[in-house]
Amino acid sequence: MANKIITKPKEISENPKVLYTGNHYIAIPIIDCKSGGVKSINLLSSTNKALVEVEGRKDLFYPKFYKGDKGLKIEKIEGEKELFYSPRLIFHLEFNIKVVLKLYADLCEKGFVFQFESNENIEVVLEFNVSQLNLLRFNSHPVKTDIEFMKDKWLSNPVVNLSSEKISLAMGFGGEKDFTYKYDKVLKLAELKVKCNRKNAIYVTVNSDPDGASTTLIHLKRKGYHNIYNQLISWLKEKIISYSPDKQLEKVMNENLFFNYFYAIGKDMDTDQYIALTSRSPRYYVSGAFWERDSFLWSFPAIKLIDYELHRELSREMIIMHSKNPGDHAHYIDGTVLYPGFELDEAASYFILLGELEYNYIDDEIMRAFLKVWNSIEKRYDEETRLYSTFLLPSDDPAEYPFVTINNVILHRGLLNYKKLLEFKGEYEKGEFISRRIEGIELGIKRHLLKKVKGKKMFLWSADGKGNFRLYNDPPGNLGLLCYYNYVDKDDKAFVNTINYYYSTKYKYFFEDAKIQELACDHHPNTPSGLGLCGSILNPIKRKEALRWLKHARMDNGLLSESYDKNTGEGKTGVGFATGSGYLAFALYYALIKEGLSESSSSSLDQ
């Protein structure tokens, strides 16, 4: 066995409510519901193998309100989402003045809008206080940044040029009407001011240089903020998945669906190519990188629910990009290796994704990519057991024994897809070879990964093929998924025994007296898993129970978190987890709509 070094995430003590917005170019990941400040924005850059983050000194943007020369005190702020995504802040000011801020990005362009609506005539000052650029990947890595403030030559609007040795970025600013500004060169603070006679808006654009930022600003002003907003709202209404029997579950499903769509993928600022990643939120502790499992197994199925054509395009590009290093723990967003260590479930995930694609769409380049993946997996074949080995588990921690049940089950499911593709392409000899490997996995699992434990046959977590085994259930590879991957029927006795064993006092990571009885694991031993909860929602034996637990689990203010408190349901590790949100959204869709949980069953979830 390898040295068992487990990298445990630090538990968070509190998780204040934040809102977020953005499009596939620009992420606005932290809108503070207590102050109304925007902490940062970011864009994808494959050249820099990271997110490029524009960070403020305290806030990057901060709104202030004035009546004449008098600053208005903010007494309370309410934060909410329109249509499960678009943020709306309600500022309650002194003298019974109320201001509604809607912050939204254009669906297609590199820009966003601060829209203000007031019940009285006031002035709004939006402070822009940039500190520096960072490369965001796991952490924010500061980059020496030159900041130059200037006017554009078209409309005399302010533009800030942000440049470093490897990054060229500019931002433009303008108002719908009655717009003025001033800039303090010492503090590098810009004050963007509009008169808010009921409604007004400030536009912000981002591009590679001042000319691009300026011309994008002109384009957004030509479109007008009303049209930009209405286009977004119409799109959200079209994409919402309705589930009338339970509005709470409908809300959770759609909030996670949209967060995944806008934060687990994005457009590269350098090439305009789509890129997939764990999360664009700096709140997630491994943001700005790529995990094959997280994208192919969890995020992409939810993206397909929103946009079939984008799913197809994205699948093709990411298969080709990342297949040069299949199965490595983590990649940079350009497909090179960030974190070595072979994980069989990650390599096998390419062939699960294959099952979501039309074979007519698969050309020679994708076939070569799949062959690369298969050749890498085949190196892990063990002739004696007829199983495939892994170095790391689905949790990214070292495997005690190399032959892991869920990994071989995922591979088994994926190879069935690969066999069909090879036969479709007329490669019958290769298809026959894969067929033999599929039969071998079935035999290997039967001989080495099914054992009697206390008189009952059940699936082991892992084994070494020499009689040693481990009883464990790693949440990202929850053994409840054996049924989802069509390896067993829900009434299979060994499967039922397996689930009953782990969700009982026989297992050390089961919390008998907890309000939420999902399992913990080595990676976060004191807190139940959000990923395990998704697996239980996909498991017909635990589905109703898991949905009840979900309704008690606030996690990351409604979004999935990696783990959460077993009684309060508050997120404890892995907040801002976009691909995980995709997993939860798809699991809910699968359980509630595709499998069709009945209305009577849904109503019983509150009991």
Side-chain angles (χ1 to χ4, degrees), residues 458-521:
M458 61 179 282
F459 288 94
L460 309 176
W461 172 253
S462 62
D464 63 359
K466 299 174 183 177
N468 298 304
F469 61 87
R470 187 182 186 197
L471 298 177
Y472 181 60
N473 197 356
D474 202 24
N478 188 330
L479 285 167
L481 295 168
L482 296 179
C483 190
Y484 171 72
Y485 286 115
N486 294 322
Y487 192 77
V488 296
D489 184 84
K490 66 181 177 67
D491 299 319
D492 181 273
K493 287 186 178 179
F495 177 63
V496 172
N497 291 338
T498 301
I499 300 305
N500 289 341
Y501 175 87
Y502 288 111
Y503 289 87
S504 76
T505 54
K506 298 183 184 74
Y507 185 54
K508 68 175 181 178
Y509 290 131
F510 173 78
F511 304 113
E512 182 182 18
D513 298 324
K515 190 171 184 178
I516 303 168
Q517 292 182 317
E518 189 49 76
L519 305 179
C521 61

Side-chain angles (χ1 to χ4, degrees), residues 45 71 76 100 126 173 325 356 371 430 441 460 467 501 599:
S45 172
K76 185 175 73 170
V100 177
L126 184 63
F173 312 94
N325 293 301
E356 297 295 314
L371 182 59
K430 288 182 180 178
I441 292 172
L460 309 176
Y501 175 87
E599 188 165 347

Side-chain angles (χ1 to χ4, degrees), residues 231-246:
Q231 183 185 25
L232 171 64
I233 293 303
S234 295
W235 184 90
L236 290 170
K237 286 179 178 177
E238 178 188 340
K239 300 300 182 181
I240 285 169
I241 298 173
S242 177
Y243 186 65
S244 56
D246 193 313

Side-chain angles (χ1 to χ4, degrees), residues 497-598:
N497 291 338
T498 301
I499 300 305
N500 289 341
Y501 175 87
Y502 288 111
Y503 289 87
S504 76
T505 54
K506 298 183 184 74
Y507 185 54
K508 68 175 181 178
Y509 290 131
F510 173 78
F511 304 113
E512 182 182 18
D513 298 324
K515 190 171 184 178
I516 303 168
Q517 292 182 317
E518 189 49 76
L519 305 179
C521 61
D522 292 345
H523 197 64
H524 44 81
N526 303 310
T527 51
S529 169
L531 300 170
L533 187 58
C534 294
S536 290
I537 292 169
L538 292 170
N539 176 2
I541 293 178
K542 300 298 291 184
R543 180 166 297 153
K544 285 183 65 176
E545 201 171 4
L547 290 170
R548 279 198 297 271
W549 295 337
L550 176 62
K551 295 183 74 166
H552 291 295
R554 190 164 174 260
M555 290 195 276
D556 184 16
N557 297 292
L559 300 178
L560 181 128
S561 59
E562 179 188 48
S563 76
Y564 47 87
D565 185 276
K566 60 182 178 288
N567 290 310
T568 68
E570 293 289 335
K572 285 297 179 183
T573 66
V575 297
F577 186 2
T579 50
S581 283
Y583 192 20
L584 178 56
F586 177 76
L588 286 170
Y589 170 82
Y590 185 93
L592 301 177
I593 295 169
K594 186 176 180 180
E595 293 277 293
L597 189 71
S598 68

